[in-house]
Amino acid sequence: METALTALVGVRHPIVQTGMGWVAGPRLVTATAEAGALGILASATMTTDALRAAVREVKSRTDAPFGVNLRADAGDARERVRIIVEEGVRVASFALAPSRELIAELKDAGVVVVPSVGARRHAEKVAAWGADAVIVQGGEGGGHTGEVATTVLLPQVVDAVDIPVIAAGGFCDGRGLVAALAYGAAGVAMGTRFLLTSDSPVPDAVKARYLAAGVGDVTVTRAVDGLPHRMLRTEFVASLERAGRLRALTRAVRHASGFRRLSGLTWSRMLRDGVAMRRGHDLTWSQVLLAANVPMLLKAAMVDGRAESGVMASGQVAGVISDLPSCAELVGRVMGEASAILSGLSPTPPLPDAPD
């Protein structure tokens, strides 16, 4: 199936595996790329040395195109851009809108720039700055999310920009891909569906928690970092919501210290990143401090397997997923379903003329 997305990045299928922190490492990205979709490494939870090593590991395992996801507001964003350019990565995606200068630097090096957005005005901005495509996530998507459903947001963005639009939020099968194409998208991006594959590094016990969840078990909370965050509802999440501000801030400081040691960042670098985050999101300092919760709480579940003391970011689509295929099986299934649906769509016969 050829679309503007497959032509732009050189993959066989119009499917993107999103850059999920602690999840989208070399193992998952390689499996996705080998299946013919676009795998994206999540770099926000990696040091720069770990990022370079991860890129080289993927390149040693596959010749297929893949991408790297960056935080545009990170203090070392330019250093990470340099790694992408030096290592010949095909695609750079961004969790936040990158600056005009970062986009130009990447495009000058031949890197395809694909920011993720959650509003039409943000899509218009990055398109005007030269982005090659845009991922549009509706409110059904996991992690930080907005309030507008994909079915409303997607056509808005398709009508507003003249670059390929990739639909995210609520997709897991061939029906969703066909629906996205009908709205005018060039493909779909899926996070939770790729998290729930046999190639995902997430511990089996945590995957089991996802598979057991119903649609109603996926909630949006501000208790983790002060921003709307979609995740599985657990007793731990409920305890975060019950916690007072002082207790929450104390926990945030502890987690910030843990992430600093893990990431190799200095306190001054983390402070600069916090200033950038506060400016970009219009956050209070309390919310910036709470944001330090996220990497370590995600790591507790996604890496350490401690679902009872971590958080599990999730799209609503987790409530309709019931198996753990390999990436090859998943991509093959999605494309098979999509082809069958498209083949079954026949032209509607003309309506008879109305009687006089």
Side-chain angles (χ1 to χ4, degrees):
M1 184 183 291
E2 295 182 0
T3 72
L5 170 62
T6 62
L8 178 66
V9 301
V11 293
R12 300 196 306 274
H13 307 302
I15 299 172
V16 177
Q17 163 252 302
T18 60
M20 300 164 281
W22 305 115
V23 178
R27 172 178 156 186
L28 181 60
V29 171
T30 300
T32 300
E34 285 290 280
L38 181 66
I40 298 181
L41 280 168
S43 80
T45 51
M46 298 178 183
T47 64
T48 51
D49 288 343
L51 171 59
R52 192 182 293 273
V55 168
R56 291 179 176 178
E57 183 176 344
V58 176
K59 290 176 66 177
S60 73
R61 295 181 177 185
T62 182
D63 294 326
F66 65 97
V68 169
N69 181 259
L70 307 171
R71 264 188 53 197
D73 61 346
D76 59 357
R78 274 208 148 72
E79 184 178 354
R80 292 171 186 268
V81 164
R82 186 173 67 253
I83 292 171
I84 288 174
V85 172
E86 290 174 352
E87 297 296 332
V89 175
R90 177 63 177 154
V91 177
S93 74
F94 288 88
L96 299 171
S99 67
R100 189 194 303 266
E101 292 72 25
L102 277 183
I103 293 176
E105 184 175 343
L106 286 160
K107 287 173 65 70
D108 286 346
V111 180
V112 176
V113 181
V114 186
S116 295
V117 300
R120 180 179 63 184
R121 68 182 184 278
H122 297 153
E124 292 172 332
K125 179 172 70 174
V126 296
W129 287 354
D132 296 291
V134 65
I135 295 175
V136 177
Q137 178 176 303
E140 301 95 321
H144 290 120
T145 194
E147 298 179 350
V148 182
T150 303
T151 51
V152 175
L153 180 61
L154 177 58
Q156 278 190 323
V157 175
V158 168
D159 290 344
V161 300
D162 59 1
I163 57 176
V165 176
I166 303 155
F171 297 99
C172 67
D173 56 20
R175 294 176 297 179
L177 173 57
V178 173
L181 296 175
Y183 274 114
V188 295
M190 303 188 297
T192 305
R193 178 65 275 197
F194 276 102
L195 184 155
L196 293 174
T197 62
S198 60
D199 295 305
S200 162
V202 173
D204 289 342
V206 175
K207 290 179 183 177
R209 296 287 292 267
Y210 278 90
L211 294 179
V215 173
D217 297 319
V218 186
T219 188
V220 175
T221 182
R222 291 178 177 268
V224 175
D225 62 358
L227 294 170
H229 204 138
R230 187 175 290 284
M231 61 186 63
L232 294 189
R233 173 162 287 284
T234 64
E235 176 53 37
F236 180 68
V237 172
S239 73
L240 291 179
E241 293 175 336
R242 293 193 298 267
R245 175 175 293 274
L246 180 59
R247 183 180 170 190
L249 293 178
T250 301
R251 179 189 292 113
V253 171
R254 186 172 68 252
H255 287 151
S257 179
F259 185 64
R260 185 190 67 81
R261 291 192 299 270
L262 194 67
S263 64
L265 295 175
T266 63
W267 282 114
S268 60
R269 171 59 63 82
M270 292 185 69
L271 180 60
R272 289 197 298 272
D273 286 355
V275 170
M277 182 184 298
R278 184 170 185 261
R279 185 185 306 119
H281 287 288
D282 193 26
L283 303 179
T284 66
W285 277 112
S286 293
Q287 289 173 316
V288 170
L289 185 54
L290 283 171
N293 276 324
V294 178
M296 298 306 288
L297 291 178
L298 286 171
K299 179 180 180 293
M302 300 305 172
V303 178
D304 304 333
R306 295 184 288 110
E308 73 286 350
S309 57
V311 298
M312 293 168 281
S314 177
Q316 282 185 305
V317 76
V320 297
I321 294 174
S322 59
D323 63 350
L324 298 171
S326 68
C327 288
E329 291 168 339
L330 172 61
V331 172
R333 180 197 303 174
V334 170
M335 297 312 302
E337 292 169 349
S339 296
I341 292 169
L342 290 171
S343 297
L345 295 176
S346 58
T348 303
L351 295 174
D353 293 333
D356 293 334

